[in-house]
Amino acid sequence: MKIRTWDNQYIDLPLPDTYGAQKNIVALPGLIDPHVHFRIPGTEEKEDWKTGSKAAIAGGYTSVFDMPNNTPPCINKTTLQEKTTLIERMLDEVHSPLAFKLWIGATKENIEKIPELKKDIIGIKVFMGASTGTLLMDNPEMQKALFKMAGEHNIVIGTHAEDEEELKKGKEKYPETTDVHDHSKIRDRNAAIKAVSHAITLAKKYHTKLYLLHVSTAEEVALIRQAKNDGITVYAEVTPHHLFLSEKDYDTLGTKAQMNPPLRTEEDQKALWQEILDGTIDTIGTDHAPHTLEQKALPYGQAPSGVPGIETALSLMIDAYNKGTITLERIVDIMHTNSTKIFSYIPKETWIIVDLDLIKTVRDQDMYTKCGWSPFAGRELKGWPLGVVINNIYYPSHT
Ligand code: DOR
Ligand code: ZN
């Protein structure tokens, strides 16, 4: 069947006859998610690659880059190999066509060993401030050594940029709180701004390719815009939750709206959108970080940070397209093309089929992610993926 692509070409794809002319469908290249937590090994009660891959395909993603904050953390040749074997086995079991790459976590001990693993990794993840898991590199001398090594070997560094000292100060201010509204005050915007500024300084000094994960404030994007103007190789990622949720959502979502970095103000949201349109922001990374409803039901202070997002990211963006906020071209740039360039990642040719007019409400019970919920439940969105085409085989989103 001949289908229109997002850039007004026509392509022959093996789709069900029922799609015919009555649907307003368009083909986009398979999406790349540079930032997921599929939880293997160690916390498979939250997600695994059987459920995660189904969620990814349902959301229009054909490649994902998985984060290393596992149990044990993915930090050396052995853990990379073991993790790869587990993932391949799970994908095989469900005949999933999902492609994947792995981030390696930076530690005090592994800096010299990383260059020899270059071909096995998509980049190095650095937690400048502590988040979920045990990975943390807040020592300035270690950070310098890491950026220097990565610059010399042309390996991308992905930073979780929240300054650990600022986070500690924040926690001291609200020692016993069980109010989730305090999360954005404890992990104050200054922690993110300070760490982003520091990371940019290091990238400039050591000529490191710097990928700033989940930027969330207006000040961070202003710093990044300046750095780009100064010719520093810095890239910025934004998450769907920072684009479509704000601090106000704690009222209704409680700890389901708790993640790191935290939700910010509506002004920040506006600044992020502006910089998506202006080109300062390069990618959408879902930071798909599932936790079970049981874990999320714990009081603030005990509930873990993180939200699932891979099944809803594209629909949220297509809904924004339908409202006139963004073009399909820009969506393809930030959800596919830019990741191929930043990470020198050459994906197989894959397509996703999107029904631009399909209206559906996000519902927890429709989610394939093992955690079984979405912070966007209840939202009516216009524009949904119907399926993906990989190796000339059609995989419907929902079966
Ligand atoms: O909210 C978050 N959840 N932020 C992170 O940095 C980690 C993630 C997780 O793994 O749960
Ligand atoms: Zn993450």
Side-chain angles (χ1 to χ4, degrees):
M1 182 182 295
K2 284 242 185 295
I3 295 292
R4 182 171 66 89
T5 63
W6 89 101
D7 55 352
N8 285 319
Q9 315 282 319
Y10 279 85
I11 179 162
D12 212 358
L13 294 173
L15 303 184
D17 292 340
T18 49
Y19 284 11
Q22 70 274 30
K23 284 197 199 310
N24 183 14
I25 62 179
V26 66
L28 314 181
L31 305 182
I32 301 169
D33 192 343
H35 187 166
V36 305
H37 300 262
F38 279 2
R39 306 300 192 200
I40 295 295
T43 44
E44 33 281 280
E45 81 280 4
K46 300 173 197 273
E47 193 76 284
D48 64 42
W49 285 75
K50 292 188 264 182
T51 48
S53 65
K54 236 182 149 190
I57 298 288
Y61 284 89
T62 53
S63 300
V64 299
F65 304 165
D66 190 63
M67 287 297 171
N69 57 335
N70 305 116
T71 316
C74 187
I75 50 171
N76 54 33
K77 199 175 177 72
T78 312
T79 45
L80 270 169
Q81 276 173 350
E82 284 174 1
K83 183 170 171 176
T84 304
T85 307
L86 285 170
I87 293 170
E88 284 173 348
R89 205 179 294 154
M90 285 189 177
L91 291 178
D92 239 32
E93 241 180 86
V94 291
H95 310 292
S96 176
L98 184 70
F100 72 95
K101 292 279 175 190
L102 300 181
W103 290 88
I104 193 171
T107 71
K108 294 181 187 71
E109 291 80 28
N110 70 358
I111 297 177
E112 284 112 68
K113 293 273 182 206
I114 289 178
E116 63 201 58
L117 301 171
K118 184 175 166 180
K119 67 170 191 345
D120 302 321
I121 59 174
I122 199 74
I124 307 166
K125 168 82 177 266
V126 192
F127 283 91
M128 299 173 86
S131 188
T132 308
T134 52
L135 290 170
L136 172 66
M137 188 185 270
D138 57 342
N139 177 314
E141 290 312 309
M142 289 291 164
Q143 291 176 349
K144 278 187 205 164
L146 182 76
F147 274 70
K148 185 164 185 289
M149 176 280 289
E152 283 166 7
H153 292 274
N154 195 27
I155 304 175
V156 177
I157 286 195
T159 47
H160 181 118
E162 287 186 285
D163 183 80
E164 183 61 15
E165 238 175 70
E166 292 294 319
L167 295 182
K168 279 190 185 138
K169 276 193 230 161
K171 277 175 206 149
E172 278 162 21
K173 279 192 208 151
Y174 301 85
E176 301 295 328
T177 182
T178 53
D179 181 356
V180 70
H181 291 81
D182 292 336
H183 191 58
S184 294
K185 301 177 198 151
I186 292 174
R187 300 183 84 104
D188 180 74
R189 59 197 300 112
N190 289 320
I193 299 162
K194 189 171 163 189
V196 161
S197 168
H198 181 50
I200 290 173
T201 307
L202 291 173
K204 181 177 180 189
K205 182 158 185 204
Y206 297 111
H207 306 286
T208 321
K209 255 190 179 182
L210 173 61
Y211 181 76
L212 291 151
L213 297 151
H214 44 46
V215 300
S216 58
T217 65
E219 293 91 328
E220 286 166 83
V221 281
L223 286 169
I224 294 160
R225 187 175 347 112
Q226 184 60 48
K228 287 187 170 193
N229 286 340
D230 294 345
I232 305 169
T233 45
V234 43
Y235 306 99
E237 172 194 275
V238 71
T239 68
H241 41 271
H242 289 112
L243 287 174
F244 292 95
L245 298 171
S246 77
E247 285 171 2
K248 289 195 170 156
D249 291 294
Y250 289 129
D251 291 347
T252 50
L253 291 173
T255 59
K256 280 186 180 170
Q258 178 197 329
M259 77 291 290
N260 305 330
L263 294 175
R264 308 291 188 192
T265 66
E266 287 177 339
E267 285 71 46
D268 290 308
Q269 229 178 20
K270 278 193 204 119
L272 297 178
W273 273 106
Q274 190 55 45
E275 299 299 338
I276 281 194
L277 303 177
D278 286 358
T280 306
I281 286 170
D282 299 282
T283 62
I284 301 247
T286 67
D287 198 0
H288 178 82
H291 297 284
T292 66
L293 281 170
E294 208 179 3
Q295 293 158 345
K296 279 295 202 182
L298 293 166
Y300 179 70
Q302 294 170 51
S305 293
V307 288
I310 202 162
E311 278 166 274
T312 43
L314 177 62
S315 293
L316 287 163
M317 294 307 288
I318 299 285
D319 188 68
Y321 157 78
N322 274 318
K323 291 181 170 132
T325 312
I326 187 168
T327 62
L328 289 181
E329 288 74 16
R330 192 72 193 127
I331 291 177
V332 170
D333 285 347
I334 61 177
M335 300 182 90
H336 168 83
T337 316
N338 289 348
S339 285
T340 66
K341 295 178 188 165
I342 296 165
F343 298 98
S344 309
Y345 174 67
I346 307 166
K348 266 197 224 159
E349 187 182 273
T350 61
W351 294 97
I352 57 178
I353 311 305
V354 175
D355 183 339
L356 294 170
D357 291 345
L358 179 62
I359 297 173
K360 270 199 307 185
T361 299
V362 179
R363 301 190 315 168
D364 288 346
Q365 62 265 43
D366 294 334
M367 297 293 122
Y368 285 124
T369 173
K370 202 186 268 190
C371 72
W373 60 275
S374 164
F376 302 107
R379 284 201 196 200
E380 187 182 87
L381 301 176
K382 183 174 175 183
W384 286 84
L386 299 177
V388 306
V389 178
I390 305 178
N391 290 337
N392 227 34
I393 299 171
Y394 181 65
Y395 297 85
S397 295
H398 289 268
T399 47

